Amino acid sequence: MPAKRLDSKHSIGDELDKWFVTHPEVKIELESICRLHSTSPEELFYKWESYAMKMGQERTNLDVPTVRDFKKDLQETVEREARSRSHMRSADKRGTYATPRSSAKVEDVFDMLDGVTPVQQTSSTGNKRKSTFETPSIPKFSKAHATSSPSDGRSLPSRADQDGVQSITFAERQKPGQIIETLNGHLNVYEPPIAPHPEPRVKLTANTDLKKFRYRPMAMHLSEASEVLDDRIDEFQTLIQAYHGLDDSAFGNAAAQGTNEIIAVGRIASDSLEGKLNAASMVLEMARRTGAGLRIPLKVESASYQFFPGQIVAVRGINASGEYFSVSEILDIPLLAPAASQPSTLEALNERLGVEGADDHNKPPKALNVLVASGPYTADDNVTFEPLHALCQKAEETCADMLILVGPLFDTEHPLLASGDFDLPEDPSLAPDRATLVDAFRILIAKPLQALAQAIPSITIVVVPSTRDLMAKHVSWPQDNLPGKKFGLPKQAKMVSNPVTVSINEVVVAISAQDILYELRREEVVVGKPKESNMLARLPRHLIQQRHFFPLYPPVDRTLLPKTGTEEGIATGTPIDVSYLKLGEWLEARPDMLIQPSALPQFAKVVENVLIINPGPLSKRKGAGTYAQLTVYPRIVTEEERSKGTLLGHQLFERARVDVIRI
């Protein structure tokens, strides 16, 4: 959608304040970029995020030198596009008017007759010339010696400079171990014991019925899909009616003309399949029971609102003309109750951690040590998986109680894995020239995890797949788990679905590998001043309010997602099986923690008493990434709470320290 041009300097400055928190000198540079490129501050913010992901976090502090480099990068991009268009026009002219020539070169004296006298070449000469000038294939990795470092693989120079950024080897990464962000910094960091714990201190329970994810993908029926979408609207109407104490007569059909004020519950959608949702294209899709499935344009009189396609809303208003529904009020949607447990259950779990008294819970050794990482796990120019090795070493050094690995593990968007043009380290159990992807997974992924399990037998490893995983036969979302035994993973590794809700002792954790935050950021319509100005806190709130891991519908076109390192360059996207969208709902309680990896900047925040963590990728396309370390202290039961015997909230957001760390 074309950017909205801001003519006055004052309006540009006001808009920049909404999207950037900057120094006055930086703000002047940003205003200059907006005027030079006729770009709105919102579009400039998206371009800045793309530039930050391309350059790496360590290079993109929002200061004057970096903004000037950003300005130079934008100018170079514009010049490249102009040269490309000019080249295409000249090529079209040559193709239309130029005299055709033979592709064969005539080897005459002084090459005077080159291109003038047509000469037929023999097949052997033609083959020789073709092999000389054909595009070289992606270089393979030299086979590593059994005792060599996993960094013996050769790089991929053909992809290294595509974005104008030079790849940085993992050994040369900057500031490894640096803490980028901390939540609840007043709590102490976990102090590892002298020796690993003899028994697991984590009791892992699946709150999701994993068997339901074993459905047959690509067998969707339109009738089933429409019923799922329709039932979701009806369920929300029942919730809203009970929460606000409304009668049945208060609800009506927004598409029907009338003079009485009604409440309509429906799904936000766009009146066009192309383009981004905006205030002019926004419509409300009604359920079949209340509105015959009709759509009606919305005219919202509220000063500010935030909508996205697929969002279920309840609005109060009138359709006086029959052409649109005029909204006077947007009703609040009730949140799920927070997760809670019995006092006896909490005390039994505290005994598992070795907590003996009320004053014993603040000691760091009694806390849980949890590491969280998300894929990719290796850079685009190699398949050595050095970041994964470093993470396993960190888990071993800190005697981690749990390691959560969120896919993709074997990424379909990795150029070498996608092409299959790479060599494996030598392995005595592997027959030459008969390696499969299962063998590659066993050597590159399972081996470091097996070594970690041998060093820390009490550790629990949770593996969440992704729709980008090469090893996953179940490619649609919601997604079934990977078969652990087939890939040689240790018994400590627990394979779960995507998404999944599990209990780590008493803590309810929701995990999804699908990057909903990035897609919401792109599709969200923000009118006026939002209640939550921080985008990284506002986007997760949509998930909490909608009670779903992926409330966006339809998903963003994959051609509009960030480009990948493969030859095609198109992202996998979100292959949703609409008939099973209910598997992505939050049914019983609000989770204590949501692990939601995203291409957006890594963060740890508390939203509606839910701890939200985006650990960032463990490996970026051209450099090292980040992971999250949690220090979770026990939930101590007071005498008063014990005597009441009622359910107690877990209050994880108050007793968990989160550090986002460079690998």
Side-chain angles (χ1 to χ4, degrees):
M1 186 179 73
K4 179 182 177 183
R5 183 168 182 174
L6 301 175
D7 297 326
S8 68
K9 182 177 179 181
H10 183 265
S11 61
I12 293 178
D14 293 342
E15 287 292 321
L16 285 172
D17 291 337
K18 295 180 181 179
W19 296 95
F20 296 91
V21 180
T22 64
H23 190 271
E25 295 181 1
V26 176
K27 185 177 179 181
I28 292 174
E29 293 289 339
L30 295 175
E31 289 178 355
S32 173
I33 297 174
C34 287
R35 291 193 296 271
L36 179 63
H37 295 282
S38 298
T39 302
S40 70
E42 179 181 359
E43 185 176 353
L44 182 66
F45 174 75
Y46 294 153
K47 291 182 178 180
W48 165 257
E49 280 196 336
S50 177
Y51 177 76
M53 286 187 284
K54 181 174 73 173
M55 297 298 295
Q57 186 71 22
E58 64 273 5
R59 300 185 182 184
T60 51
N61 294 325
L62 196 59
D63 50 26
V64 174
T66 307
V67 171
R68 288 175 179 170
D69 291 340
F70 172 52
K71 182 178 181 181
K72 182 180 178 182
D73 181 82
L74 288 177
Q75 186 62 34
E76 291 175 351
T77 302
V78 172
E79 292 174 357
R80 282 197 303 269
E81 292 176 351
R83 286 196 300 269
S84 176
R85 287 193 295 268
S86 176
H87 175 72
M88 291 175 64
R89 285 195 296 267
S90 61
D92 291 339
K93 290 180 180 179
R94 288 196 302 269
T96 305
Y97 301 107
T99 302
R101 293 188 176 188
S102 170
S103 60
K105 181 177 178 181
V106 183
E107 299 183 356
D108 57 90
V109 180
F110 304 117
D111 291 339
M112 292 173 61
L113 301 179
D114 182 20
V116 177
T117 306
V119 176
Q120 248 186 347
Q121 288 206 345
T122 61
S123 59
S124 60
T125 307
N127 290 339
K128 182 177 181 181
R129 295 186 61 82
K130 181 179 180 182
S131 63
T132 304
F133 294 100
E134 70 179 358
T135 304
S137 61
I138 300 176
K140 290 187 177 182
F141 288 85
S142 57
K143 289 189 176 181
H145 192 268
T147 59
S148 64
S149 169
S151 61
D152 291 339
R154 291 189 292 167
S155 62
L156 183 61
S158 60
R159 299 295 305 180
D161 301 323
Q162 272 197 346
D163 298 330
V165 183
Q166 185 177 1
S167 297
I168 301 175
T169 62
F170 187 76
E172 297 174 348
R173 66 192 187 279
Q174 298 180 3
K175 302 177 182 178
Q178 179 189 20
I179 297 177
I180 298 177
E181 183 173 348
T182 298
L183 181 68
N184 291 335
H186 62 282
L187 298 175
N188 294 326
V189 183
Y190 179 82
E191 296 179 5
I194 299 176
H197 300 286
E199 297 291 335
R201 301 197 302 157
V202 168
K203 180 181 179 182
L204 185 67
T205 307
N207 298 337
T208 301
D209 190 354
L210 301 180
K211 294 181 180 179
K212 291 184 178 180
F213 287 80
R214 297 171 186 170
Y215 64 89
R216 186 176 62 177
M218 301 182 68
M220 181 173 59
H221 298 283
L222 291 179
S223 59
E224 295 177 358
S226 64
E227 288 175 3
V228 169
L229 296 174
D230 208 53
D231 290 345
R232 183 164 167 80
I233 298 177
D234 292 336
E235 290 169 2
F236 267 80
Q237 179 168 324
T238 303
L239 291 171
I240 292 165
Q241 182 176 1
Y243 179 73
H244 292 279
L246 300 171
D247 294 330
D248 292 338
S249 59
F251 296 89
N253 180 7
Q257 184 177 359
T259 57
N260 295 329
E261 189 177 62
I262 63 169
I263 296 174
V265 180
R267 177 180 292 103
I268 296 294
S270 175
D271 62 1
S272 173
L273 294 177
E274 299 179 357
K276 185 178 183 294
L277 178 71
N278 55 58
S281 65
M282 187 164 53
V283 297
L284 184 69
E285 181 180 285
M286 306 293 295
R288 283 177 292 186
R289 183 173 63 87
T290 57
L294 297 175
R295 289 183 171 187
I296 184 70
L298 284 183
K299 182 178 180 181
V300 184
E301 300 174 357
S302 175
S304 65
Y305 59 87
Q306 304 87 47
F307 288 155
F308 61 88
Q311 180 179 3
I312 307 298
V313 297
V315 291
R316 188 193 303 270
I318 299 176
N319 183 359
S321 64
E323 297 180 356
Y324 62 86
F325 188 75
S326 179
V327 178
S328 59
E329 181 187 0
I330 302 172
L331 278 68
D332 293 333
I333 294 179
L335 303 180
L336 281 168
S341 300
Q342 290 287 349
S344 58
T345 303
L346 294 174
E347 290 182 328
L349 293 170
N350 289 342
E351 291 180 5
R352 192 185 188 98
L353 297 177
V355 178
E356 298 176 356
D359 299 331
D360 197 27
H361 70 286
N362 286 324
K363 297 180 181 179
K366 304 301 181 184
L368 280 178
N369 180 25
V370 181
L371 302 185
V372 181
S374 67
Y377 291 89
T378 189
D380 275 7
D381 60 353
N382 66 77
V383 290
T384 56
F385 287 86
E386 290 174 289
L388 179 61
H389 285 263
L391 180 67
C392 291
Q393 183 179 358
K394 180 67 176 179
E396 180 180 348
E397 291 173 355
T398 60
C399 294
D401 293 292
M402 172 169 281
L403 174 62
I404 300 177
L405 300 177
V406 185
L409 298 173
F410 255 31
D411 193 0
T412 58
E413 297 180 3
H414 190 286
L416 294 175
L417 294 174
S419 67
D421 196 4
F422 63 94
D423 285 346
L424 294 174
E426 292 183 358
D427 187 275
S429 63
L430 187 62
D433 300 327
R434 292 187 179 181
T436 64
L437 280 177
V438 175
D439 297 321
F441 189 95
R442 180 173 52 82
I443 294 173
L444 299 175
I445 301 292
K447 265 194 173 181
L449 296 181
Q450 288 174 347
L452 173 62
Q454 290 177 359
I456 311 291
S458 60
I459 194 172
T460 301
I461 304 172
V462 176
V463 180
V464 183
S466 166
T467 54
R468 287 165 49 183
D469 266 307
L470 278 169
M471 312 308 299
K473 292 184 178 180
H474 203 285
V475 295
S476 59
W477 191 95
Q479 183 182 21
D480 195 10
N481 59 290
L482 298 173
K485 294 181 180 180
K486 178 180 179 181
F487 301 131
L489 292 171
K491 64 178 182 179
Q492 289 88 341
K494 311 299 180 184
M495 317 299 284
V496 296
S497 59
N498 170 33
V500 70
T501 303
V502 297
S503 290
I504 303 174
N505 290 350
E506 80 282 357
V507 179
V508 179
V509 182
I511 311 172
S512 176
Q514 214 61 38
D515 189 356
I516 178 61
L517 299 183
Y518 185 91
E519 297 195 28
L520 278 178
R521 192 285 306 268
R522 195 185 186 287
E523 294 297 320
E524 184 189 34
V525 176
V526 179
V527 175
K529 186 176 181 180
K531 296 179 181 179
E532 178 56 70
S533 58
N534 189 318
M535 179 188 65
L536 297 180
R538 186 176 69 249
L539 296 179
R541 180 172 278 107
H542 288 315
L543 308 186
I544 298 172
Q545 291 176 342
Q546 295 291 299
R547 307 180 177 200
H548 204 283
F549 284 103
F550 202 96
L552 179 68
Y553 183 80
V556 175
D557 187 337
R558 66 194 191 106
T559 59
L560 303 177
L561 297 175
K563 301 300 181 184
T564 68
T566 60
E567 184 177 353
E568 185 184 27
I570 300 178
T572 305
T574 307
I576 284 185
D577 196 317
V578 183
S579 301
Y580 293 89
L581 269 181
K582 196 171 183 63
L583 295 177
E585 291 184 355
W586 300 354
L587 298 176
E588 297 180 358
R590 201 185 327 164
D592 299 308
M593 177 167 59
L594 171 63
I595 299 174
Q596 183 59 72
S598 174
L600 298 180
Q602 60 278 346
F603 66 88
K605 296 185 179 297
V606 177
V607 180
E608 300 290 355
N609 294 342
V610 179
L611 179 58
I612 314 289
I613 299 176
N614 170 23
L618 191 67
S619 176
K620 300 179 181 178
R621 286 182 55 190
K622 301 181 185 301
T626 56
Y627 68 97
Q629 181 177 12
L630 284 78
T631 304
V632 182
Y633 287 89
R635 169 64 164 94
I636 300 301
V637 182
T638 63
E639 289 293 337
E640 181 180 358
E641 292 172 335
R642 187 182 296 107
S643 61
K644 289 183 179 179
T646 57
L647 291 172
L648 301 179
H650 298 157
Q651 301 173 351
L652 177 69
F653 59 94
E654 295 179 348
R655 56 186 177 92
R657 175 190 172 114
V658 183
D659 295 299
V660 181
I661 309 171
R662 297 184 192 275
I663 188 61

